[in-house]
Amino acid sequence: MSRSWQQHPAAAAELRDAVLYLEEVREGLGERFLDAVDAALRSILDDPEAWSVHQGRARIPPVRTRSVSGFRYDIKYVVVADAIIVLAFAH
């Protein structure tokens, strides 16, 4: 099944801020982070139910969490019909 994805405007801002911060820490680190985010998003699109349900307040649809490999960031998302909606890039 082909799924689309979109991100909440706040998530887009979080991602941008994370990339800028990581580039300040070390040149090229922001680019590495974007590559890791891209890989994580592809895995979410391939099998969105494979990742754990965020523990906290019960919600329908459930909020799921996928870590970003090599970084202390998680992608928080929901599955709605055939779409993935990214709610946050959480540190």
Side-chain angles (χ1 to χ4, degrees):
M1 174 187 317
S2 177
R3 295 183 191 269
S4 64
W5 75 279
Q6 56 187 301
Q7 56 189 336
H8 188 280
E14 289 171 343
L15 181 60
R16 182 191 67 245
D17 291 347
V19 169
L20 292 173
Y21 169 75
L22 292 168
E23 277 299 313
E24 285 181 13
V25 170
R26 188 168 71 229
E27 186 176 338
L29 192 57
E31 187 68 30
R32 281 188 37 221
F33 176 65
L34 282 177
D35 290 343
V37 166
D38 186 54
L41 286 170
R42 282 193 312 271
S43 69
I44 291 168
L45 291 170
D46 287 344
D47 190 2
E49 278 81 28
W51 309 103
S52 63
V53 173
H54 176 69
Q55 298 301 310
R57 191 179 72 184
R59 181 171 177 202
I60 297 178
V63 175
R64 294 185 175 274
T65 301
R66 166 66 162 98
S67 62
V68 177
S69 182
F71 294 88
R72 292 183 178 174
Y73 283 85
D74 293 326
I75 299 172
K76 307 287 185 183
Y77 67 96
V78 294
V79 180
V80 179
D82 289 339
I84 305 298
I85 302 172
V86 175
L87 303 174
F89 293 94
H91 185 264

